[in-house]
């Protein structure tokens, strides 16, 4: 019995462990419902007056009261270079060749510069979780949510599949080009032909 359970655990994919099933027409299907992602352009409140900030807060409150189940997500909009810097710092400590040490120092400085430029690069999302709805209902719900958010003065758009792939890749630190990643791991190396279909 124990061996069967261990076999089952070993056979689970990363996708299963994360609870992701597949991409849908409007979002991402998970074990806990379909997720719809809405990217919201951030507002620079440092240039707004106190009254305008209060208005923005009121608009956000209106969105949250109209859509009480909506979730707010904040992620980096670019790759984190901490692992690269840690590796280069370790290399620098053991490197004896002066010219190579100079190059490593330049690389570290370059990564520092990029990190500073991207330190404030954040993405903000509203995430709606849809359960037990048919495709037509999901489409109507997706449009209603987007209209409600936009109606409160937020610059918003619903993410399509390539954009969802990109944020997942950033979140799991897999790639900066998430939108180019295949839907199924390894599918780019295998092409189904008509002959194979017939067999």
């Amino acid at each position: 019995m124990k061996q069967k359970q261990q076999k089952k655990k070993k056979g689970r994919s990363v996708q299963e462990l994360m609870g992701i099933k597949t991409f849908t027409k409007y979002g991402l299907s998970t074990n806990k419902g379909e997720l719809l992602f809405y990217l919201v352009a951030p507002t620079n409140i440092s240039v707004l007056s106190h009254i305008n900030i209060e208005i923005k807060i009121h608009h956000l409150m209106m969105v949250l009261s109209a859509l009480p189940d909506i979730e707010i997500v904040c992620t980096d909009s670019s790759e984190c270079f901490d692992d690269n810097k840690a590796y280069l710092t370790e290399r620098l400590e053991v490197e004896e060749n002066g010219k190579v040490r100079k190059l490593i120092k330049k690389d570290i400085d370059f990564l520092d510069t990029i990190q500073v430029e991207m330190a404030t690069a954040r993405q903000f999302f509203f995430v709606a979780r849809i359960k037990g709805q048919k495709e037509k209902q999901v489409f109507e719900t997706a449009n209603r949510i987007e209209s409600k958010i936009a109606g409160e003065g937020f610059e918003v758009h619903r993410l399509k599949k390539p954009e969802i792939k990109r944020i997942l890749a950033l979140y799991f630190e897999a790639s900066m080009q998430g939108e180019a990643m295949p839907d199924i791991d390894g599918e780019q190396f295998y092409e189904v032909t008509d002959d194979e279909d017939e067999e």
Side-chain angles (χ1 to χ4, degrees), residues 105-119:
K105 282 179 185 173
K106 280 187 178 181
D107 281 344
I108 292 170
D109 291 341
F110 175 67
L111 289 179
D112 281 336
T113 307
I114 292 173
Q115 198 91 39
V116 168
E117 287 172 7
M118 295 180 170

Side-chain angles (χ1 to χ4, degrees), residues 104-144:
I104 293 172
K105 282 179 185 173
K106 280 187 178 181
D107 281 344
I108 292 170
D109 291 341
F110 175 67
L111 289 179
D112 281 336
T113 307
I114 292 173
Q115 198 91 39
V116 168
E117 287 172 7
M118 295 180 170
T120 55
R122 299 282 184 269
Q123 296 179 114
F124 298 90
F125 304 95
F126 285 121
V127 182
R129 196 179 295 272
I130 311 294
K131 290 181 183 177
Q133 290 189 7
K134 293 181 179 172
E135 194 175 288
K136 190 182 176 187
Q137 293 171 308
V138 173
F139 174 71
E140 289 166 0
T141 304
N143 286 339
R144 183 178 57 79

